[in-house]
Amino acid sequence: MMPSARPSARFWAGKRVLLTGHTGFKGSWLSLWLEKLGAEVTGISLAPSTDPSLFSLTRPKLAASHFQDIRDADTMRQLIDAADPEIVLHLAAQALVRPSYQDPLGTFATNVQGTANILDAIRHVASTRVVVAITTDKVYRNLEHIFPYRETDHLGGHDPYSASKAAAELVIASYRDSYLRAAGKAVASARAGNVIGGGDWSADRLLPDAVRAWQPGSVLEVRRPEAKRPWQHVLEPLSAYLVLAERLWHDPSLAESFNFGPASHEAACVRDVIEIARTAYGRGEVEYGDGTSGPHEANWLALETAKARQLLGIAPRWPLEEAVSRTMLWYRALAEGADARTLCETDINEFEKMQ
């Protein structure tokens, strides 16, 4: 197997980067990594939505940090003009399936109109050369078949979250084709999901729910133990976003959509993930449901990642067992008094060493 492409400190050093969603789980990890690479990062996001939050615990060093709703088009334009970014990494989103059922209008406004607001502001910033807009692995019309989804498959979405992200893909493609490509701005969408890693305290996420249950000795209730997903450590897609941005800088013809995730045959069911997690954590009681409770969620999802492998040289580094184990050990170490920033930096350093 060829070594996987990795982010280049030589490339990122001194680059002006706009990172939306910098206070979220993925955004906090990415802020720390960009800091390590020497980028000058301006963050735009809502204030952290959980307590504790990874952003508050790690305090990434940013050139500027703005707590701002991306649905406010006028303010977004002002902030983006002031940041004058060369590269934009758009992660800000309402990123949870079950809350999207509770607030569909807010979900669509953030994920669709918010994305349009950012892209519209970028069209007027001469310095911006690259945009990587993050959507999700759930943008595809899920037919519950056994085949992994390719970038050319139909978009869709049963729940408001998935549908809003599929709609965001149409917005991204429209702005790229109508304005941004002609202006010399390379815009790509990145489709990844089911990320795990230390520092996520969002509701209705499998491993955070496990930690919340097992830490005080409670029983974890799992609704859909047989649901299959393409699980991956958070550093896998973040590395892919950075590599994609670098490649777009040098080759704008790559401005398309890309799937990022484990090999399609490595998608794993919830039950398997929980059993690995329980072993790594050292304890934990589980009660498995029959898959019928709660609103609709897909039972099967896998991505075909050949395009990223062939065109970008990106391949996964940490297999499922290591990704899950590292996640649970992160939470356990934090509970025992370790420093969150140090834990993240250690994982980033270890990830960078992998081929």
Side-chain angles (χ1 to χ4, degrees), residues 5-179:
R6 63 188 63 200
S8 166
R10 180 178 298 179
F11 173 84
W12 288 98
K15 287 287 193 302
R16 297 190 308 279
V17 178
L18 172 67
L19 173 59
T20 72
H22 69 293
T23 65
F25 165 55
K26 290 168 71 176
S28 297
W29 276 95
L30 188 50
S31 295
L32 291 170
W33 204 344
L34 286 167
E35 176 189 325
K36 183 177 187 289
L37 293 169
E40 298 176 7
V41 180
T42 295
I44 299 177
S45 180
L46 296 178
S49 59
T50 63
D51 184 16
S53 77
L54 188 61
F55 182 78
S56 300
L57 290 175
T58 59
R59 292 294 178 188
K61 297 179 177 64
L62 306 170
S65 175
H66 305 284
F67 293 168
Q68 176 60 48
D69 194 324
I70 63 172
R71 292 175 291 185
D72 184 338
D74 291 339
T75 303
M76 289 301 298
R77 187 175 297 112
Q78 295 169 15
L79 293 177
I80 293 173
D81 284 345
D84 196 34
E86 297 168 288
I87 297 173
V88 176
L89 303 172
H90 172 40
L91 276 67
Q94 194 300 94
L96 298 170
V97 172
R98 285 168 69 86
S100 78
Y101 281 106
Q102 299 159 11
D103 183 18
L105 292 181
T107 298
F108 279 103
T110 298
N111 295 348
V112 183
Q113 188 61 54
T115 296
N117 290 343
I118 290 163
L119 295 176
D120 199 68
I122 288 165
R123 1 186 227 135
H124 305 292
V125 180
S127 63
T128 302
R129 287 179 53 175
V130 168
V131 179
V132 177
I134 312 308
T135 58
T136 178
D137 55 2
K138 297 171 184 64
V139 297
Y140 297 104
R141 184 188 302 167
N142 196 316
L143 303 176
E144 300 285 357
H145 55 44
I146 63 172
F147 306 107
Y149 292 95
R150 300 170 296 174
E151 289 87 348
T152 53
D153 283 331
H154 291 296
L155 301 177
H158 182 285
D159 57 88
Y161 168 71
S162 301
S164 70
K165 283 296 196 173
E169 286 277 355
L170 298 180
V171 170
I172 294 162
S174 176
Y175 267 85
R176 177 175 56 226
D177 295 341
S178 298
Y179 309 107

Side-chain angles (χ1 to χ4, degrees), residues 3-8 239 243 246 313 317 351-355:
S4 180
R6 63 188 63 200
S8 166
S239 177
V243 170
E246 293 178 32
R317 300 186 200 178
F351 188 84
E352 288 180 324
K353 292 177 185 176
M354 295 291 294
Q355 293 298 313

Side-chain angles (χ1 to χ4, degrees), residues 176-251:
R176 177 175 56 226
D177 295 341
S178 298
Y179 309 107
L180 300 176
R181 180 181 285 120
K185 304 177 191 300
V187 182
S189 62
R191 302 169 179 175
N194 295 101
V195 295
I196 58 177
D200 186 2
W201 282 280
S202 299
D204 294 316
R205 289 258 176 89
L206 184 63
L207 295 188
D209 284 350
V211 172
R212 277 188 286 264
W214 294 344
Q215 209 159 45
S218 301
V219 176
L220 171 67
E221 296 182 0
V222 177
R223 297 185 305 274
R224 290 180 168 84
E226 307 311 321
K228 274 198 171 183
R229 297 288 186 272
W231 310 94
Q232 58 184 325
H233 193 276
V234 64
L235 293 178
E236 302 276 11
L238 297 186
S239 177
Y241 304 160
L242 294 172
V243 170
L244 174 57
E246 293 178 32
R247 295 295 305 277
L248 290 170
W249 185 277
H250 298 297
D251 185 0

